[in-house]
Amino acid sequence: MTKVVRVGDVLIGGGNKIAVQSMTNTVTKNADATSAQINALTDVGCDIVRVAVADAADAEALGDIKKRIKVPLVADIHFDYRLAVAAVRNGADKIRINPGNIGSDEGLKKIISAAKERGVAIRIGVNGGSLGKDILARFGNTAAALAESALEYVRRFEDMGFDNIVLSVKSSDVRKTVDACRILAKECDYPQHIGVTESGSGESARVKSAIGIGALLLDGIGDTIRVSLTDNPVEEVLFAKEILRAVGKDKNYCEVISCPSCGRCGINLIAVAQEIKEYVKDIKKPMKIAVMGCAVNGPGEAADADLGLAGGQGKAVFFKNGKVFRTVAADGMTEEFKREIDKIR
């Protein structure tokens, strides 16, 4: 069990709900655009949002943005410790830094002092592309290098009397990311923010993220997640929720299962499954709906479904927990099935 770290009103680690994160792609000093995007992310289920703080105007805008949003705000800082201090003083609930590019310990001490004063958490973020020369010389560009780099920073923070820490080690290499996170989980009890960085766009990016994040979550590793996509950040949140559902970390939704279809299928299974999935997308309670192509195996294979449909030649059967309770004509079966869903939703 990891330590618990508070970020605004969200508790990270210690068995608390896994928080979904994303990052805006607006210019932060444009408070109108940034606030609007954060609220759009919140509407689809994002729990924490990070923004880039590239200059003093970005840091100054945080106070205005905070007044317009409902989720904790994380400031992403690189190179200039003064921006981190300003972000904390302007209301950031957490700051993300790579200590390796902040510079001297003097600057780090000032960041820690400001964070302590306001009760702000710090995320130590180490990426595969930002490892120090000494670490690379000792370990090469490996998972061990990522983990050791993060642990060295942890020791520096602890020596300065600060332990309100979240850790993150990421690479664009799925295996390296997973291995590094596993090392950290063995070596310390700080909560981890997990994800595959620079995963790209489209289906390949989603596959990489699902494998990397999913593997760690199934290991019990990961307290917050971000799916990094070259896309609208809303898509990151939607796909993150799909991952959480697939590994059983989010049960408050209606799952639609369906068979892959075969020569026995007597209905337009693809169209029916898509229509039913769209129909139940807003149900926020644990339910399982089955859409099966034929009555030969359908009720048996989907016996754990709360409600199911199995197609046939000119007709369909409806079943609950594997027991058929109604037969309907194929023509109009989808609308009839929706009515049955409405009875149990």
Side-chain angles (χ1 to χ4, degrees), residues 9 89 161 198 248 253 336:
D9 59 359
R89 291 177 177 165
E198 299 155 2
Y253 76 107
E336 287 297 320

Side-chain angles (χ1 to χ4, degrees), residues 78 107 120 163 190 224 229 271 287 308 310:
H78 291 278
V120 170
D163 64 358
Y190 290 107
T224 77
L229 299 176
M287 281 177 57

Side-chain angles (χ1 to χ4, degrees), residues 185-199:
K186 291 178 181 178
E187 295 294 327
C188 67
D189 61 356
Y190 290 107
Q192 287 194 51
H193 169 74
I194 61 173
V196 178
T197 194
E198 299 155 2
S199 62

Side-chain angles (χ1 to χ4, degrees), residues 4-232:
V4 177
V5 171
R6 179 179 290 276
V7 180
D9 59 359
V10 174
L11 297 178
I12 295 174
N16 285 290
K17 171 180 165 291
I18 295 169
V20 174
Q21 295 196 32
S22 186
M23 186 172 183
T24 59
N25 57 18
T26 57
V27 176
T28 303
K29 64 178 67 67
N30 184 339
D32 290 341
T34 302
S35 300
Q37 191 171 80
I38 291 172
N39 288 327
L41 291 166
T42 305
D43 287 344
V44 294
C46 194
D47 300 302
I48 300 172
V49 179
R50 181 161 50 116
V51 299
V53 176
D55 56 33
D58 285 342
E60 184 68 25
L62 298 183
D64 186 14
I65 293 167
K66 281 277 291 182
K67 295 174 185 175
R68 309 192 201 184
I69 65 174
K70 299 177 182 178
V71 293
L73 188 63
V74 181
D76 190 81
I77 315 292
H78 291 278
F79 304 112
D80 191 341
Y81 78 87
R82 292 169 296 184
L83 294 178
V85 172
V88 170
R89 291 177 177 165
N90 280 289
D93 297 294
K94 183 173 76 171
I95 58 171
R96 184 270 186 181
I97 61 172
N98 181 340
N101 65 32
I102 289 296
S104 68
D105 274 358
E106 195 58 38
L108 198 54
K109 287 177 182 176
K110 290 181 179 179
I111 294 172
I112 287 173
S113 177
K116 276 185 174 180
E117 181 184 334
R118 301 291 179 99
V120 170
I122 297 177
R123 173 177 144 196
I124 297 175
V126 178
N127 286 350
S130 59
L131 294 169
K133 292 180 180 178
D134 59 329
I135 288 285
L136 288 171
R138 288 158 55 199
F139 297 95
N141 196 346
T142 62
L146 278 169
E148 181 57 28
S149 181
L151 290 169
E152 284 190 3
Y153 293 140
V154 165
R155 290 189 281 270
R156 285 172 66 187
F157 276 57
E158 290 176 340
D159 287 345
M160 296 178 190
F162 190 84
D163 64 358
N164 195 18
I165 295 168
V166 177
L167 294 179
S168 178
V169 289
K170 295 183 180 182
S171 168
S172 58
D173 182 296
V174 175
R175 168 62 74 181
K176 193 180 297 182
T177 298
V178 170
D179 287 348
C181 291
R182 286 172 173 165
I183 294 169
L184 282 186
K186 291 178 181 178
E187 295 294 327
C188 67
D189 61 356
Y190 290 107
Q192 287 194 51
H193 169 74
I194 61 173
V196 178
T197 194
E198 299 155 2
S199 62
S201 63
E203 290 303 310
S204 61
R206 286 168 169 79
V207 169
K208 289 175 71 173
S209 295
I211 292 171
I213 294 171
L216 289 167
L217 292 177
L218 289 171
D219 278 355
I221 298 169
D223 305 284
T224 77
I225 67 172
R226 180 193 177 188
V227 175
S228 297
L229 299 176
T230 308
D231 205 332
N232 184 327

Side-chain angles (χ1 to χ4, degrees), residues 282-296:
D282 295 323
I283 295 177
K284 303 297 184 186
K285 73 178 206 179
M287 281 177 57
K288 181 179 282 191
I289 302 294
V291 180
M292 309 299 283
C294 75
V296 174

